């Protein structure tokens, strides 16, 4: 850990201004990821601007009938919010599946979106890692791959994004509000994170100094019928091998009117499963169709030697999740 | 037989821990917390190559950090006595024998400055190709000569008996590299003064640590004092001195009188505190049509560090578990460029009961027998290894009693029969065992003081097991007084010698010493309360029965396993262990020991695996986020029971040791239950979701 200067931000503009002007400055939210990285030497900011106490923690109805969640709302508060629980249960479940009670009490919505990969090599500064130190190589490519990507990876990086919450938000078509030195902008949650390509050091499309101020969930009535399934080696306090966020709208005849699906644990970003959604619409949500939808999504998967199991695991996770959301008994 | 305690009043009751209140109130000082005058803080510098030598170390930037006093390196470290224990002889040569080896140390006014400066040290290495690959077909495997038991045994003609067997199982089983992770980190506070060295250390044995440190610093033991009043878990990793203890003492020596505190980080624990070798176990069982085992072979391959040979005694339990006229056990080791392997809860026995107990499950199926019935049919009359009678052996009672309690009768014989929703459900069983270890020499001092109480001093260490409490119960009965009239003191080399808290032998060794001292005290001063100042010290006598009998605890482990048909996820909603471990001194604390062992066994079954990246020569998942140990959510129901076993031979208390048996056999029971649930036989730990998925 290098010595650093700590400052608590008084307002959003000042925080943005301070960080934007200083390339060695970094925002600090709940600190549940960044503080680890400070200790490990993975992150070496010389200035920390603590934004966790900015007045951005409201969870309130959005202008279009959706729900606006402030960036400093704590994960535990967000998961416990009555609107989140009743209207977007997938988000509450995703939040509660992550970390531990103590960590969720600290972690913020903005920080959760921006947490970095848990790739073991990324977190060990004595090993090569293109994400941490561009140009040094990817240790995971021929190494320990259990938690690594099967979709959208590159030869420069096969890391996965570890957030559960982000997977639910991507499935829900959330919008991320950002304030930067040149004003504010909004972007779809699905476009916040990027694939590694040849710039794996960049996790998101945000520029230095841009601060997430809120996440807005659109009104999506059938999201009340949504769920999150996290497949992991340990029953709690483990990152996902594979996860699925899904919302399902089925008509009285059992036909899928609409569906939202995103996968976690498969890629450098939360993976919105548009192909699987398309494959499911217009027919019943049976186990067979769910499995085929997953296969359609995973058609271009490129598993590594150590994680080919993620394909059947993702298929099974989607099948199990849709079964849970399906009003009709399904055949197996 | 040594004289038993005559009155059993406190023994068998369930008082709470005498140290419990201090611990939950934060008033029990652990090693690092001992207040010392103006401490400096040491942070190790570790090798980032797995083999080679340090050509040069540039410490300029580190020394420039505010508050940094010195950087110890192989170039400037104080000399140590060499030739005894290479693990401890640090900074004496530039050689690097494993990645993570200590090659230096920063000493500073704050731990933060020390750690920061350690990151700034630039090391120039001369690398050589490292070799960290454990494989059973390596040409350089060797038979360990320095183990405490014979490396190999052979009786009869195993191969011929196998060839002629009506039912046969021959398979390879693997256990993973497991890492001890006690909650309290490995810490040392070292203080040199005119009298010598004082160490506050998180250790399982103050006297054994003192011996090791005296050796390497070439000091008389009388000049070293080691204190460890409270220790937050060890699981074997604090049973022998590791390099950081020497490093702290070296750093303090360099600081000429200023105390030095050193705490290993969690990541450092994975390379510097010992770990359990991965094992490859080739198991062969041959039986007749009735399931009577005729031939049994266990051939083990495992690893050791090139720095220091340590032979995990993996095949040991197979020598005594089941009757079989033709038997063979072997150990072969690969010496690799890896950190030092060492003790981890039930060394040898724990991994060694995985392969054979899964093989028993497979043999039961081949023979068309219930796995419990197969085990019952192979109960030996005498210890197959030594031919001696058992002092007590109640495996059969554990299996039968456990079966009743667990509801074993309702179990379908065939695998893959029970499904609830997405979950396949199965149950499994495995035997458990642990030897009764005796270590000579422990002594206890008993003094009646002016407060009217009997003060019992023994240099034992309570590593969280409850020894402190249990020893008071034993002393009370041995003296014939109430427990409230006894005050026990442990954890200090100023107290009479005590053996290490290891091998589940603490109660045996220290309790025997206390009983001997109490009887000597009464013989000397009479049965009435003698005047204050009356004092007597005595060692535990030899127990001639250890030569006449084979002494082991036994148990049966039952597991219910659920495996998701969709995702392969495996969960264990129910574990039951039934143990025959002699007299239980304190049911409350004993239950905790059994449950803790079983939970650790479950963790070994489902989670624990140090993943070696052979290119880098390092374990990559070296923290508790990536190296999984079982959480509360993984153990919904763990129950431990025991049978009322009276063993007059083991020691005066009739106890057998309970710290380790709980971990033995659990993983096999889980793997057997997973097979029963799914029909998928997993022979390699850990048993993870991917094993149950097919593309």
């Amino acid at each position: 850990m290098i010595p650093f200067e700590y400052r608590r931000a008084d307002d959003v503009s000042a925080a943005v201004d301070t960080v934007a002007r200083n390339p060695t400055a970094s925002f600090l939210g709940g600190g549940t990821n960044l503080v680890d990285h400070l200790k490990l030497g993975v992150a070496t900011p010389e200035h920390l601007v603590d934004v966790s106490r900015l007045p951005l923690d409201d969870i309130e109805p959005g202008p279009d009938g959706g729900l606006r969640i402030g960036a400093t709302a704590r994960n535990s508060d967000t998961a416990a919010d009555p609107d989140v629980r009743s209207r977007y249960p997938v988000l509450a479940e995703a939040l509660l599946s992550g970390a531990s009670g103590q960590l969720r009490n600290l972690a913020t919505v903005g920080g959760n979106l921006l947490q970095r990969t848990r790739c073991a090599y990324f977190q060990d500064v004595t090993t090569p890692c293109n994400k941490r130190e561009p140009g040094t190589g990817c240790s995971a490519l021929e190494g320990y791959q259990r938690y690594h990507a099967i979709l959208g990876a590159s030869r420069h990086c096969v890391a996965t994004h570890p957030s559960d919450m982000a997977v639910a938000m991507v499935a829900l078509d959330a919008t991320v509000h950002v304030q930067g030195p040149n004003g504010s902008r909004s972007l779809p949650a699905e476009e916040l994170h990027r694939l590694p390509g040849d710039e794996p050091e960049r996790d998101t499309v945000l520029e230095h100094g841009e601060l997430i101020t809120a996440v807005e969930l659109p009104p999506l009535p059938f999201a009340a019928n949504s769920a999150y399934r996290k497949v992991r080696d340990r029953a709690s306090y483990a990152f996902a091998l594979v996860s699925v966020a899904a919302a399902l709208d089925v008509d009285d005849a059992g036909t899928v009117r609409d569906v939202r699906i995103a996968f976690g644990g498969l890629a450098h970003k939360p993976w919105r499963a548009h192909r699987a959604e398309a494959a499911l619409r217009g027919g019943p949500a049976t186990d067979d169709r769910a499995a085929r939808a997953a296969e359609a999504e995973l058609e271009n998967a490129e598993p590594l030697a150590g994680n080919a199991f993620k394909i059947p695991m993702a298929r099974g996770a989607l099948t199990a999740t849709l079964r849970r959301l399906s009003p009709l008994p399904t055949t197996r | 037989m040594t004289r038993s305690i005559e009155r059993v009043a406190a023994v068998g009751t369930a008082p709470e821990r005498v140290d419990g209140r201090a611990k939950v109130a934060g008033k029990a000082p652990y090693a690092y917390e001992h207040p010392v005058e103006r401490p400096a803080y040491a942070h190790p510098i570790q090798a980032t190559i797995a083999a080679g030598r340090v050509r040069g170390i540039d410490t300029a930037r580190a020394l420039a950090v505010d508050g940094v006093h010195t950087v110890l390196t192989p170039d400037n470290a104080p000399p140590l006595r060499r030739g005894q224990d290479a693990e401890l002889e640090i900074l004496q040569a530039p050689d690097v024998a494993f990645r993570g080896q200590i090659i230096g140390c920063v000493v500073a006014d704050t731990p933060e400055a020390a750690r920061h400066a350690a990151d700034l040290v630039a090391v120039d290495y001369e690398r050589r190709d490292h070799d960290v690959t454990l494989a059973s077909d390596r040409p350089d495997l060797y038979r360990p000569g320095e183990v405490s038991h014979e490396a190999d045994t052979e009786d009869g003609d195993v191969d011929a008996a196998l060839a002629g067997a009506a039912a046969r199982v021959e398979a390879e089983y693997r256990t993973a590299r497991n890492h001890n992770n006690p909650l309290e980190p490995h810490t040392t506070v070292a203080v040199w003064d005119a009298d010598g060295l004082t160490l506050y250390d998180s250790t399982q044995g103050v006297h054994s640590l003192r011996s090791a440190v005296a050796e390497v610093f070439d000091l008389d033991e009388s000049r070293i004092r080691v204190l460890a009043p409270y220790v937050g878990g060890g699981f074997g990793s604090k049973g022998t001195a590791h390099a950081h203890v020497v490093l702290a003492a070296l750093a303090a020596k360099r600081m000429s009188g200023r105390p030095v505190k050193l705490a290993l980080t969690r990541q450092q624990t994975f390379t510097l505190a010992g770990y359990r070798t991965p094992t490859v176990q080739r198991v062969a069982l041959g039986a007749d049509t009735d399931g009577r085992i005729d031939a049994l072979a266990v051939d083990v391959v495992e690893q050791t560090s090139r720095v220091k040979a340590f032979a995990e005694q993996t095949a040991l339990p197979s020598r005594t578990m089941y009757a079989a006229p033709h038997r063979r056990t072997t150990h072969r080791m690969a010496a690799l460029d890896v950190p030092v392997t060492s003790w981890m809860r039930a060394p040898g026995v724990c991994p060694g009961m995985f392969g054979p107990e899964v093989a028993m499950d497979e043999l039961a199926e081949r023979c068309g027998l219930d796995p419990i019935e197969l085990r019952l049919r192979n109960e030996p009359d005498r210890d197959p290894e030594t031919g001696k009678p058992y002092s007590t052996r109640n495996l059969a009672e554990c299996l039968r009693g456990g079966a009743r309690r667990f509801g074993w009768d309702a179990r379908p014989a065939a695998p893959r029969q029970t499904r609830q929703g997405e979950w396949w459900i199965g149950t499994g069983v495995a035997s458990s065992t642990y030897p009764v270890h005796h270590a000579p020499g422990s002594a206890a001092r008993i003094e009646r003081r002016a407060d009217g109480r009997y003060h019992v001093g023994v240099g034992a260490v309570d590593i969280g097991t409850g020894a402190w409490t249990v020893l008071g119960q034993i002393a009370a009965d041995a003296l014939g007084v109430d427990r409230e009239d006894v005050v026990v003191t442990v954890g200090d080399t100023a107290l009479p010698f005590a053996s290490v808290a290891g091998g589940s032998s603490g109660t045996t060794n220290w309790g025997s010493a206390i009983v001997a001292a109490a009887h000597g005290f009464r013989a000397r001063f009479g049965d009435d309360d003698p005047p204050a100042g009356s004092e007597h010290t005595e060692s535990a006598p030899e127990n001639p029965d250890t030569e006449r009998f084979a002494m082991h605890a036994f148990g049966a482990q039952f597991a219910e396993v659920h495996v998701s048909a969709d995702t392969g996820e495996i969960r264990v909603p129910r574990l039951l262990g039934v143990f025959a471990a002699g007299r239980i001194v304190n049911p409350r604390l004993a239950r905790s020991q059994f449950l803790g062992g079983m939970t650790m066994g479950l963790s070994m079954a489902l989670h624990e695996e140090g993943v070696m990246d052979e290119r880098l020569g390092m374990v990559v998942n070296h923290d508790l986020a990536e190296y999984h140990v079982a959480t509360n959510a993984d153990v919904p129901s763990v129950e431990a029971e025991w049978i009322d076993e009276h063993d007059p031979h083991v020691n005066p208390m009739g106890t057998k040791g309970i710290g380790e048996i709980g971990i033995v056999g659990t993983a096999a029971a889980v793997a057997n239950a997973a097979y029963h649930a799914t029909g998928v036989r997993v022979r390699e730990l850990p048993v993870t979701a991917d094993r149950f998925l097919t593309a």
Side-chain angles (χ1 to χ4, degrees):
Chain A
M1 173 156 22
I2 66 166
F4 57 84
E5 182 194 284
Y6 168 90
R7 188 180 305 172
R8 190 179 295 167
D10 296 324
D11 63 74
V12 172
S13 303
V16 166
D17 191 49
T18 306
V19 172
R21 278 190 293 120
N22 189 340
T24 68
S26 183
F27 296 117
L28 175 70
T32 57
N33 194 210
L34 181 54
V35 172
D36 282 351
H37 287 169
L38 293 174
K39 289 196 234 172
L40 295 170
V42 170
T44 53
E46 292 170 19
H47 302 268
L48 287 183
V49 178
D50 184 349
V51 294
S52 67
R53 296 175 208 221
L54 290 175
L56 298 173
D57 59 347
D58 283 346
I59 302 174
E60 59 196 3
D64 61 352
L67 194 67
R68 187 185 167 95
I69 303 169
T72 63
R74 305 288 170 167
N75 282 186
S76 47
D77 293 335
T78 307
D81 181 83
D83 279 324
V84 172
R85 287 166 56 107
S86 60
R87 297 175 59 194
Y88 308 97
V90 62
L91 179 56
E93 289 181 12
L95 282 162
L96 292 176
S97 74
S100 64
Q102 293 92 329
L103 289 166
R104 292 194 294 270
N105 286 342
L106 275 173
T108 62
V109 164
N112 187 316
L113 285 171
L114 297 180
Q115 66 182 302
R116 309 207 67 192
T117 183
R118 297 289 169 155
C119 174
Y121 301 101
F122 173 72
Q123 298 187 97
D124 185 329
V125 297
T126 70
T127 67
C129 170
N130 285 327
K131 182 181 278 297
R132 180 171 27 78
E133 220 177 321
T136 54
C138 172
S139 294
L141 205 52
E142 303 286 333
Y144 177 49
Q145 303 163 335
R146 188 167 181 79
Y147 289 89
H148 290 75
I150 62 169
L151 287 168
S154 74
R155 64 191 170 83
H156 302 288
C157 181
V158 291
T160 51
H161 195 262
S163 172
D164 296 297
M165 183 195 77
V167 179
M169 287 177 171
V170 165
L172 291 170
D173 284 322
T175 299
V176 178
H177 296 290
V178 174
Q179 186 164 333
N182 304 315
S184 52
R185 63 172 174 140
S186 301
L187 67 162
E190 189 183 352
E191 291 170 20
L192 173 66
H193 299 93
R194 52 189 297 287
L195 293 176
D198 57 5
E199 282 185 293
E201 68 275 19
R202 292 184 59 209
D203 292 352
T204 70
V205 298
L206 298 186
E207 299 298 330
H208 182 71
E210 282 193 307
L211 179 69
I212 295 174
T213 54
V215 173
E216 198 162 325
L217 306 179
L220 187 71
F222 75 83
N225 184 43
S226 64
Y228 190 72
R229 173 71 181 255
K230 183 174 183 178
V231 182
R232 46 184 156 176
D233 282 326
R234 181 162 68 175
S236 80
Y237 197 55
F239 293 95
L241 292 164
V242 169
S243 69
V244 177
L248 183 64
D249 182 15
V250 179
D251 69 17
D252 292 343
T255 302
V256 175
R257 258 194 306 248
D258 205 353
V259 62
R260 298 280 188 280
I261 299 167
F263 286 109
L266 299 187
H268 195 258
K269 58 185 286 186
W271 190 269
R272 180 66 182 269
H274 294 289
R275 288 181 184 207
E277 291 174 6
L280 277 160
R281 283 191 197 100
T286 57
D287 279 10
D288 278 352
R289 291 191 76 245
R292 271 183 279 139
E295 276 158 13
E297 192 64 50
L298 298 168
E299 199 179 21
N300 297 323
E302 293 182 78
L304 304 160
N307 66 13
F309 66 85
K310 285 192 172 187
I311 290 177
M313 187 176 275
R315 185 177 62 213
L318 179 63
T319 308
T321 308
L322 293 180
R323 194 190 302 135
R324 188 182 143 199
L325 295 173
S326 187
L328 297 173
T330 57
T331 53
R332 61 175 69 254
Chain B
M1 170 63 233
T2 49
R3 196 173 142 207
S4 298
I5 41 179
E6 281 131 22
R7 190 191 74 135
V8 178
V11 167
T13 63
E16 295 176 355
R17 289 166 193 267
V18 296
D19 49 340
R21 185 166 293 272
K23 280 181 172 170
V24 297
K27 290 178 177 169
Y30 290 85
Y32 197 78
E33 299 170 326
H34 279 90
V36 288
E37 193 86 5
R38 232 166 49 89
Y41 296 85
H43 194 85
I45 302 163
Q46 296 175 273
T48 57
I49 63 167
R53 58 191 288 275
V54 173
R55 204 149 42 196
I57 298 190
D58 182 353
T59 59
R61 287 181 69 206
L63 287 166
V65 171
D66 239 11
V68 168
H69 290 276
T70 186
V71 181
L72 290 177
T73 70
D75 295 331
N76 65 16
L80 295 169
R81 183 168 165 199
R82 302 184 65 185
Q84 297 297 316
D85 183 344
E87 182 189 1
L88 303 182
E89 293 155 16
I90 52 171
L91 306 185
Q92 304 298 299
D95 306 284
V96 174
F98 60 90
R99 189 169 177 133
Q101 181 183 322
I102 292 173
I103 54 168
C105 169
V106 177
V107 189
D109 284 336
T110 65
E112 291 82 5
R115 187 168 180 165
H116 172 46
D119 288 342
L120 298 177
V121 170
V123 183
D124 178 31
Y125 296 103
E126 182 182 309
R127 291 166 185 266
R128 74 173 160 78
D129 290 342
H130 61 254
D131 180 358
V132 297
T133 305
L134 177 66
S136 52
D137 58 354
R138 288 180 65 104
D140 60 348
L141 296 175
Y142 71 100
R143 184 158 66 95
E146 60 288 299
V147 298
S148 56
H149 296 260
E150 284 176 277
D152 297 355
T153 60
E154 179 139 26
D155 300 290
D157 188 341
V158 172
D159 292 335
L162 274 175
R168 196 161 52 227
V169 172
E170 286 181 277
E172 191 172 277
Y173 304 83
R174 288 170 179 265
T175 61
R177 173 184 176 125
N178 287 172
H179 293 266
N180 320 45
N181 270 293
L183 201 53
E184 185 204 4
H186 294 69
T187 65
T188 304
V189 180
V191 190
W192 289 91
D193 59 21
D195 296 333
L197 175 64
T198 302
L199 295 170
Y200 302 92
D201 192 72
S202 187
T203 178
Q204 292 173 228
V206 288
H207 287 95
S208 55
L209 186 85
R210 182 175 69 172
S211 298
V213 173
E215 184 83 46
V216 74
F217 280 91
D218 204 6
L219 275 177
D220 194 273
E221 287 191 4
S222 64
R223 296 193 58 211
I224 303 176
R225 184 176 177 193
V226 180
L227 296 102
Y230 301 96
V231 175
F235 309 110
S237 68
K238 297 170 182 174
T240 57
H242 293 298
H244 67 278
V245 179
V246 177
L247 188 67
L250 273 181
K253 199 168 190 183
R254 171 58 53 85
M255 293 297 288
S256 38
R258 191 168 167 189
V260 166
K261 291 190 170 191
L262 184 153
L264 292 187
T265 64
R266 185 58 68 183
Q267 287 84 355
Q268 289 167 344
T269 306
F270 280 77
T271 45
L272 295 174
Y275 61 95
R276 197 196 304 283
T277 174
T279 71
V280 184
Q281 309 171 15
R282 185 86 202 161
V283 179
L285 298 174
D288 65 17
T289 47
D290 292 333
R292 288 194 173 73
I293 300 172
D294 194 37
L296 178 160
V298 179
D299 298 302
V300 178
V301 174
E302 53 201 22
Q303 74 187 36
T304 184
S305 170
R306 286 198 214 278
V307 173
K308 178 181 180 177
F310 174 87
E312 182 91 7
Q313 320 243 314
T314 305
L316 240 61
S318 289
R319 295 175 185 170
T320 195
M321 272 311 290
Y322 302 112
H326 305 279
R327 26 198 328 119
R328 179 182 75 229
T329 62
T330 65
H331 295 87
R332 293 293 178 271
M333 297 214 296
L336 304 176
D337 300 314
V338 294
V340 177
T341 52
S342 188
W343 296 344
M344 183 164 176
R345 202 173 198 169
V349 186
C350 171
M353 284 290 276
F354 175 68
E357 286 298 308
V358 176
M360 286 295 281
D361 204 60
E362 300 191 51
L363 183 63
E365 189 175 37
R366 292 283 143 92
C367 296
L369 285 173
D370 181 274
I372 291 178
E373 178 59 26
L374 175 72
R375 287 171 171 88
L376 294 176
R377 287 188 188 185
N378 288 287
E379 271 288 281
D381 300 331
R382 293 177 159 251
D383 174 26
E385 183 182 18
T386 60
K388 294 174 187 173
Y390 288 99
S391 60
T392 44
R393 175 178 168 121
N394 284 305
L395 173 61
E397 280 65 23
C398 293
L399 287 164
R400 290 196 186 101
R404 275 193 301 274
R405 203 189 141 96
F406 194 72
W408 187 259
D409 284 354
R411 176 187 200 257
R416 207 175 173 88
Q417 297 296 308
T418 310
R419 175 94 177 248
Q420 280 176 13
E422 73 172 78
W423 299 92
W424 290 107
I425 295 174
T427 53
V429 67
S431 299
S432 182
T433 187
Y434 197 79
V436 179
H437 287 304
H438 295 81
S442 291
R445 181 173 66 221
I446 297 177
E447 180 190 1
R448 185 154 193 277
R449 293 196 185 157
D451 61 6
R453 303 208 281 178
Y454 291 84
H455 289 251
V456 178
V458 54
V461 179
D462 186 333
I463 56 173
T465 54
W468 203 325
T469 310
V470 167
L471 295 179
Q473 293 174 259
I474 291 167
D477 285 358
L479 285 163
V481 300
D482 291 340
R483 202 174 61 82
E484 291 71 27
D485 294 329
V486 172
V487 179
V488 175
T489 309
V490 297
D492 189 345
T493 50
L495 298 166
F497 174 86
S499 59
V500 70
S504 298
S505 67
T507 302
T508 290
N509 295 327
W510 315 327
S512 298
I514 287 172
V515 172
H519 288 164
F521 184 95
R522 286 299 183 213
R524 195 163 143 191
F525 301 111
D527 285 343
D528 299 328
D529 288 340
S534 304
E535 182 188 315
H536 183 75
T537 302
E538 195 163 325
S539 298
E542 293 280 309
N543 176 1
D545 282 358
T546 58
E547 295 301 314
R548 296 173 45 215
F549 294 95
M551 298 179 176
H552 302 264
F554 292 91
Q557 304 248 16
F558 294 81
E560 179 180 327
V561 162
H562 293 190
V563 177
S564 168
D566 290 313
T567 65
E569 283 166 292
I570 173 169
R571 300 288 182 255
V572 181
R574 196 158 63 105
L575 277 181
L576 169 69
V578 179
F579 301 96
R583 177 178 274 148
I584 298 303
V585 178
N586 182 323
R588 180 196 306 271
L589 302 179
R591 192 176 303 280
S592 172
Q593 284 298 296
F594 289 132
L595 298 185
M598 292 169 67
T599 302
M600 205 164 166
L602 170 84
S603 193
M604 171 196 190
L606 300 186
H607 305 307
E608 297 196 34
E609 181 183 21
V611 178
M612 171 60 75
D613 185 317
E614 295 182 353
R615 304 160 308 163
L616 298 168
M618 64 179 276
V619 167
V620 288
N621 54 339
H622 50 54
D623 62 39
L624 290 180
E626 316 299 327
Y627 179 91
H628 287 178
V629 298
T631 64
N632 275 337
D634 292 294
V635 284
S637 167
V638 188
E639 292 184 11
E641 295 290 318
W642 49 86
I643 66 170
D644 195 16
E645 186 178 69
H646 296 275
D647 190 323
H649 304 294
V650 279
N651 57 46
M653 296 77 62
T655 59
K656 281 184 170 178
I658 56 174
E660 289 161 283
I661 190 169
I663 196 177
V664 179
T666 324
V670 169
N672 293 342
Y675 172 75
H676 186 242
T678 62
V680 177
R681 179 66 72 183
V682 179
R683 299 187 181 90
E684 182 174 1
L685 294 177
V687 184
T688 47
D690 47 295
R691 321 248 188 200
F692 303 100
L693 292 172
T694 45

